[in-house]
Amino acid sequence: MASMTLHRPAPTAPTPPRNRAVAVLAYDGLCTFEFGVAVEVFGLPRPEMADWYQFRVCAAEPGPLRAVGGIQVLADGDVRDLAAAGTIIIPGWRGKDAPVPPALLDALRQAHAGGARLVSICSGVFVLAAAGVLAGKRATTHWRYAQTLAERFPDIRVEPDVLYVDEGSVLTSAGSAAGLDLCLHIVRRDHGARIANQVARRLVIPPHRDGGQAQFVEAPLADEAAPLSALFDWIRRNLDQDLTLARLASQARMSERSLVRRFREAAGTSPKDWILTERLGRARTLLEATSLSLEQVAAECGFGGADTLRHHFRARLRTSPTAYRARFAAAAE
């Protein structure tokens, strides 16, 4: 199984949205959870933020619109209002085989050409793909739809193992809950790590969720996870230590062979890759929120030295620790 990453940033620094207006699409057959994710992150008033988003719901067709769960939605805008938005969110779609209205496709193309940032959650990627804005770009979607997306749109580089992909002006997330990861990433891009952490705290979720969606394929979590939960917590408390397989096995009170098997069944990856992901997550937090030197960050996270930290940042995140700090810590100021 390949190493799993939270996301892979675009090779160039993302440009800010053209304005703070966020439009979320509503359509007949609306995916209620995905829609709620967008509302929760961008639509709630936040008095502590002077420059928060201006939120609007735009209907793809005349309403009232049916939503999953027996709900009806009456939107305050329509596709014509997408032209004024800085960010447009497609919260799922009514089916991977469901056609997309030509008027909606035209509105998305024109908005994107005018500088709007397009975002899809889960199956919403099929709308962006139909609009042609993902051609030649990387994208992701729910693991159940990844093969269909790749086959139907061969000009898209589908990455099935990640939680989200940031291509600058077009961003896509994996299955439903991964929309939260992507929306928090957008807040972090726009407002910095401190504000994103505040939003995550209000949602009672971690600001960074480690791993990729491959660990959720077929089973959300193996039964073997429970005996290892204490080990996971212990590792997180001791990331600065030399975490050899022998030491982990001793801590878990099992043989090394059994540990590797149980770990992969529970976490979807090897102990080595899981620890690397945890260390990178800790390093990202320290780079965002502290002024520690790279050597200090490397020591705190168990990388040993700054050169090793730089190597893993390049390999996993396609950026350097210094560039990452400049991008996210500066946004928080």
Side-chain angles (χ1 to χ4, degrees):
M1 183 179 295
S3 297
M4 293 178 287
T5 56
L6 183 64
H7 73 111
R8 294 176 183 156
T12 57
T15 55
R18 59 179 177 176
N19 58 51
R20 294 297 191 195
V22 173
V24 60
L25 187 74
Y27 49 88
D28 198 50
L30 180 64
C31 296
T32 310
F33 180 86
E34 289 84 342
F35 178 76
V37 166
V39 174
E40 179 72 24
V41 175
F42 301 107
L44 292 187
R46 300 185 187 274
E48 69 275 15
M49 284 295 301
D51 191 26
W52 198 242
Y53 303 96
Q54 295 86 49
F55 186 79
R56 190 168 198 182
V57 179
C58 296
E61 52 222 324
L65 305 170
R66 294 167 298 175
V68 174
I71 300 170
Q72 290 189 334
V73 176
L74 285 172
D76 56 5
D78 57 32
V79 293
R80 295 171 295 183
D81 298 303
L82 297 178
T87 302
I88 299 171
I89 301 175
I90 315 296
W93 188 236
R94 49 186 164 232
K96 61 184 176 63
D97 299 318
V100 184
L104 174 57
L105 295 177
D106 289 342
L108 290 173
R109 294 184 190 113
Q110 292 173 17
H112 188 242
R117 180 171 59 186
L118 304 185
V119 180
S120 70
I121 299 175
C122 195
S123 57
V125 72
F126 287 94
V127 177
L128 298 186
V133 298
L134 286 172
K137 292 182 169 61
R138 295 171 299 118
T140 193
T141 186
H142 194 288
W143 56 266
R144 293 188 303 164
Y145 307 138
Q147 183 174 350
T148 300
L149 181 67
E151 292 173 351
R152 193 172 297 173
F153 300 95
D155 55 352
I156 299 174
R157 288 176 285 161
V158 178
E159 298 197 357
D161 292 340
V162 299
L163 293 178
Y164 61 86
V165 172
D166 180 347
E167 282 282 28
S169 64
V170 185
L171 302 92
T172 55
S173 89
S176 305
L180 282 167
D181 299 284
L182 177 53
C183 289
L184 281 176
H185 170 71
I186 292 170
V187 172
R188 185 177 293 105
R189 270 182 47 167
D190 296 346
H191 296 283
R194 181 177 61 84
I195 299 301
N197 291 345
Q198 288 180 4
V199 175
R201 189 176 302 114
R202 182 167 172 174
L203 288 166
V204 199
I205 61 174
H208 296 288
R209 189 154 61 107
D210 297 320
Q213 66 168 332
Q215 62 187 300
F216 302 108
V217 176
E218 295 182 358
L221 193 63
D223 292 338
E224 290 81 358
L228 292 183
S229 60
L231 178 63
F232 294 157
D233 292 339
W234 181 85
I235 292 172
R236 292 188 178 103
R237 293 193 302 268
N238 293 276
L239 288 174
D240 60 330
Q241 303 296 311
D242 183 17
L243 301 177
T244 64
L245 184 60
R247 187 175 181 186
L248 298 180
S250 175
Q251 182 68 27
R253 294 185 174 89
M254 61 180 67
S255 69
E256 294 182 20
R257 182 176 180 180
S258 294
L259 175 64
V260 171
R261 177 180 60 81
R262 300 283 288 274
F263 208 104
R264 187 172 292 278
E265 290 170 343
T269 188
S270 67
K272 179 180 179 181
D273 280 350
W274 191 87
I275 291 170
L276 176 57
T277 300
E278 289 292 318
R279 282 174 166 158
L280 285 171
R282 172 77 62 81
R284 289 163 62 174
T285 299
L286 293 176
L287 290 170
E288 293 170 5
T290 75
S291 58
L292 293 176
S293 69
L294 293 189
E295 288 291 346
Q296 290 172 316
V297 170
E300 287 279 342
C301 300
F303 287 113
D307 286 344
T308 303
L309 176 65
R310 292 188 188 96
H311 167 76
H312 287 298
F313 253 74
R314 287 288 185 191
R316 279 287 190 95
L317 304 178
R318 298 183 182 178
T319 188
S320 68
T322 300
Y324 183 90
R325 169 173 272 168
R327 174 175 163 184
F328 289 111
E333 296 176 353

